[in-house]
Amino acid sequence: MGGLMTDGCRPCVVIWTIFLLSSVMGYKPVIIVHGILDGPRQFEILAKFINQSHPGTSVTTLALYDYIGSMKPLWQQVDGFREAIRPIMESTDDGVHLICFSQGGLICRGVLATLPTHNAHSLILLSSPLAGQYGDSSYLKHFFPKFIKSRLYHFCYTTCGQRISICNYWNDPHQRERYLKSSIYLAPLNGEIEHANSTAWRDSFLRIQTLVLIGGQDDGVITPWESRSLQRFISSRDIEHQKFEMYSLSDAFGLKTLNSEGAVVKCVVPGVHHTSWHSNHTVYKNCIDKWLT
């Protein structure tokens, strides 16, 4: 009977429905950049969330500097990720969404700062140490078993130390002068020191339409957890009772401008451990889903 659909036709109908829906909705491609000691495998659940709520979306989790390779210096990683991201951006006129986890958030910021023609629409940063890291964690104990946080600057603020990714964003508030003198990645990226590319990097960063900052106080790895919202230490002897200020006060890299335009979104979710941000459905629905259009 011509009016009945056979079982063999149903998969074809589903595929065409997804194709037509994605064409009508015009979902932008999504690029995912992993964090330290991660790779694409850790983001399969997030990719599934995206395709469930935005059928047909092209989702690419970049397989680059995976796992132990993520310890390479960040500028080296930025160069590699930029060349992987560029063709994806060039393949669409409507722009892309970037979802970047942990250390990957700093890499994404470096990519966008040094890619003046980028078309990143939303930059979604999942628990990234955007203002730096200063705290003991399982990551640090694995790579620096002989150091505690108060002594790590002895290694990180050296030429040798800056060849390891973690040291590129180690921000010891007790060693401010050493940090500014030695940091070859975080300090220039956040406009804490003057350099020849300051204006160009700022202009490039400002090409994004929305900056989404996601994190929470129960993260357990990013320390201080306020770092994910680009808040940095201000002077205080008692680190446990530090007060923080946003980098937007100086607008050194464009955060103040984005904030004034209502383009900065903060999403705080309690009870989420660091390794669960990209697989937690509540985080996805409340903090990510609405920006992937």
Side-chain angles (χ1 to χ4, degrees):
M1 297 176 61
L4 295 178
M5 182 186 301
T6 65
D7 290 340
C9 290
R10 287 194 178 95
C12 300
V13 173
V14 172
I15 292 172
W16 272 105
T17 300
I18 292 175
F19 174 78
L20 291 173
L21 182 59
S22 63
S23 299
V24 172
M25 296 303 294
Y27 297 129
K28 297 176 177 63
V30 175
I31 303 170
I32 299 175
V33 176
H34 64 77
I36 195 168
L37 301 182
D38 277 336
R41 184 169 57 84
Q42 280 72 32
F43 296 85
E44 292 175 354
I45 294 177
L46 177 57
K48 182 179 179 181
F49 289 160
I50 295 170
N51 276 299
Q52 285 176 339
S53 60
H54 302 281
T57 299
S58 171
V59 181
T60 303
T61 304
L62 295 172
L64 194 64
Y65 292 105
D66 300 348
Y67 308 108
I68 193 66
S70 64
M71 297 297 293
K72 296 285 187 179
L74 289 188
W75 281 124
Q76 179 179 334
Q77 295 194 53
V78 165
D79 289 342
F81 276 102
R82 184 176 58 245
E83 295 312 304
I85 289 172
R86 190 198 307 268
I88 301 175
M89 289 182 167
E90 292 176 347
S91 69
T92 176
D93 294 328
D94 295 330
V96 304
H97 299 300
L98 279 173
I99 302 178
C100 315
F101 172 62
S102 193
Q103 178 179 279
L106 290 172
I107 292 171
C108 285
R109 285 195 53 219
V111 167
L112 297 186
T114 58
L115 190 57
T117 58
H118 78 76
N119 59 0
H121 190 85
S122 296
L123 175 59
I124 301 170
L125 303 180
L126 275 169
S127 194
S128 294
L130 303 173
Q133 173 78 7
Y134 181 70
D136 296 321
S137 69
S138 58
Y139 290 94
L140 288 177
K141 292 175 182 178
H142 181 73
F143 290 100
F144 305 110
K146 296 182 180 180
F147 287 92
I148 58 175
K149 66 180 182 180
S150 62
R151 295 169 48 210
L152 193 56
Y153 76 91
H154 287 293
F155 174 74
C156 277
Y157 296 159
T158 65
T159 300
C160 183
Q162 289 294 301
R163 294 173 184 163
I164 297 177
S165 65
I166 292 176
C167 289
N168 288 160
Y169 50 94
W170 186 252
N171 191 352
D172 187 334
H174 299 292
Q175 305 296 330
R176 183 68 178 168
E177 291 185 9
R178 286 187 172 93
Y179 162 73
L180 293 175
K181 182 179 179 180
S182 304
S183 175
I184 64 172
Y185 191 83
L186 187 66
L189 188 66
N190 282 346
E192 296 174 271
I193 57 176
E194 294 185 8
H195 56 91
N197 297 312
S198 295
T199 300
W201 289 4
R202 181 180 181 277
D203 291 345
S204 184
F205 183 68
L206 286 173
R207 290 174 64 90
I208 64 174
Q209 302 298 308
T210 306
L211 174 63
V212 184
L213 305 172
I214 304 170
Q217 59 269 38
D218 300 311
D219 179 271
V221 171
I222 302 303
T223 310
W225 76 272
E226 290 90 346
S227 179
R228 61 91 206 175
S229 60
L230 279 161
Q231 295 185 85
R232 62 183 176 185
F233 288 117
I234 57 177
S235 59
S236 172
R237 293 184 178 181
D238 184 0
I239 300 301
E240 299 303 321
H241 297 87
Q242 277 282 2
K243 294 183 178 179
F244 301 87
E245 66 179 3
M246 287 190 69
Y247 280 92
S248 60
L249 296 181
S250 66
D251 205 30
F253 60 90
L255 185 61
K256 182 177 181 180
T257 297
L258 288 177
N259 208 28
S260 67
E261 295 172 350
V264 179
V265 178
K266 297 179 184 178
C267 192
V268 177
V269 184
V272 180
H273 186 264
H274 188 69
T275 56
S276 299
W277 288 105
H278 41 73
S279 59
N280 186 297
H281 194 258
T282 298
V283 172
Y284 176 75
K285 291 300 295 182
N286 293 344
C287 306
I288 301 174
D289 180 60
K290 67 182 74 174
W291 307 110
L292 302 183
T293 57

